[in-house]
Amino acid sequence: MSTAADRGVAVGVDVLERSELRRLLERPWFLRFVFAPEELAHAETLGARRRLEFLAGRFAAKEAVLKVLGTGFLQGVAPREICVQHTPNGAPVVRLQERASRRAPFAISVSITHKRDVVAAVAIGLSSSIDAVVGKGRTTAKESDAVSSPTIGSTAVIQQNAPDEQTPETTAFLRVRIGQEDAHYGGHLVDGARILRLFGDLVTEITIRTDGDEGLLAQYTDVRFTGPVKPGDYIEARGRLVRQTRLRRVVELEAHTVLSAFPEAGDSAAAVLDAPQLVCTATATTVVPYPRSKTTTVLDRTTEES
């Protein structure tokens, strides 16, 4: 590893097993010391398995960046001063704060990859000026896919000359009113499968937008039901494409109650909630056909008949 900025490039590498951090991530003091508030806020929106994967990846990235800076955890820079966020398309972005920002007169690019229980990160410091800035971040790099990448991916700096040149985020949105026919359990509770059907529609819309194909839903992971759903509730469900490989698309999903019926106040009483209530989160993986992936075109009637 080289840490001399005048040499042009400084490289840091870190590899760890997620299981090494499992117990430490249950201790509040460790979370406050290692992770920035933005990282912890995002981690709390994830299921247990994805949370461990996310925080382990950020931990490895911080270790790699510290090696680029030529320091350690207890040598002048706290790891929470290195914030690893992500662009709308999921690429990790390094944002240095406080003392860390003063130790890096060069841009830093980072790449993270996962394979089963192993997490690896590579950080590269470039002494030349780079205009790849997202918000207050310094550089961006593509994060390797957790499903199919067997080795550490190469790091590539993504240059963005203007905010409007960023890759648009692929999302989908639904708002539905839950009817009386959906009540399934005692107390007029709606079963969780009703929300998962909404999630399925969101995933289908996203794959149609990205691939021109409905795709095939392969699995849900980290499904968490966090609040009750009752007839009369208005549910807002959102999906966001966070990762993609040649055949797979990974979508993060969440559903909130935004309006709710209040039968105790009257037969037709309802109100807008002061704050949306999170009722379900999940991660979905869908598969698209390889021959049509990224190449499908919609034929007009004349061409099709010909």
Side-chain angles (χ1 to χ4, degrees):
M1 181 193 74
S2 172
T3 59
D6 55 4
R7 296 181 185 176
V9 178
V11 180
V13 179
D14 190 66
V15 180
L16 59 90
E17 293 185 1
R18 293 201 299 259
S19 55
E20 298 177 39
L21 295 179
R22 194 181 302 274
R23 289 191 175 183
L24 285 172
L25 293 178
E26 297 174 357
R27 301 179 180 180
W29 67 266
F30 181 79
L31 295 174
R32 290 193 299 269
F33 175 68
V34 174
F35 300 102
E38 299 92 328
E39 295 170 321
L40 293 176
H42 182 72
E44 292 309 309
T45 67
L46 307 174
R49 180 179 176 183
R50 178 71 181 104
R51 176 180 181 271
L52 175 60
E53 179 186 77
F54 172 81
L55 292 178
R58 265 48 190 176
F59 184 90
K62 292 168 187 283
E63 283 269 29
V65 171
L66 285 170
K67 292 173 182 176
V68 169
L69 298 178
T71 184
F73 266 43
L74 301 176
Q75 298 178 15
V77 175
R80 67 173 176 270
E81 296 171 6
I82 301 169
C83 182
V84 184
Q85 297 179 299
H86 57 267
T87 63
N89 63 354
V93 179
V94 177
R95 180 164 62 85
L96 301 180
Q97 307 175 84
E98 302 176 25
R99 294 168 295 181
S101 64
R102 296 192 290 271
R103 295 183 69 106
F106 43 77
I108 295 180
S109 177
V110 66
S111 181
I112 306 170
T113 190
H114 304 263
K115 180 65 175 180
R116 296 190 178 92
D117 193 44
V118 177
V119 181
V122 177
I124 298 179
L126 304 173
S127 59
S128 58
S129 176
I130 295 179
D131 294 329
V133 177
V134 178
K136 294 184 179 180
R138 292 182 172 263
T139 60
T140 62
K142 184 175 181 181
E143 182 170 0
S144 304
D145 187 84
V147 177
S148 63
S149 177
T151 58
I152 299 175
S154 59
T155 301
V157 176
I158 302 173
Q159 297 195 15
Q160 296 171 329
N161 297 321
D164 58 357
E165 293 180 8
Q166 297 180 16
T167 302
E169 185 176 32
T170 304
T171 61
F173 170 81
L174 285 173
R175 177 185 292 157
V176 300
R177 186 175 190 270
I178 304 299
Q180 291 290 339
E181 69 278 5
D182 294 310
H184 187 73
Y185 296 107
H188 296 284
L189 293 178
V190 176
D191 63 295
R194 180 69 178 90
I195 304 302
L196 293 182
R197 289 200 300 273
L198 296 180
F199 285 172
D201 289 340
L202 293 173
V203 173
T204 299
E205 179 179 342
I206 285 176
T207 55
I208 290 174
R209 290 182 180 278
T210 59
D211 298 274
D213 193 283
E214 293 186 355
L216 179 64
L217 183 62
Q219 66 175 358
Y220 283 118
T221 57
D222 299 330
V223 179
R224 298 177 62 193
F225 296 103
T226 57
V229 177
K230 297 184 177 182
D233 289 350
Y234 280 77
I235 301 296
E236 287 188 356
R238 299 177 183 271
R240 180 171 67 93
L241 180 66
V242 295
R243 189 170 300 152
Q244 64 182 43
T245 65
R246 183 172 59 180
L247 297 179
R248 294 181 175 87
R249 309 290 178 260
V250 180
V251 180
E252 286 187 351
L253 302 145
E254 60 181 30
H256 292 81
T257 301
V258 293
L259 294 88
S260 186
F262 287 96
E264 60 274 14
D267 292 340
S268 58
V272 178
L273 300 183
D274 293 334
Q277 180 184 0
L278 183 66
V279 295
C280 185
T281 62
T283 300
T285 301
T286 188
V287 179
V288 295
Y290 174 66
R292 302 169 69 181
S293 176
K294 294 292 184 183
T295 60
T296 300
T297 57
V298 179
L299 302 178
D300 60 35
R301 184 178 300 274
T302 302
T303 304
E304 188 174 6
E305 289 177 355
S306 300

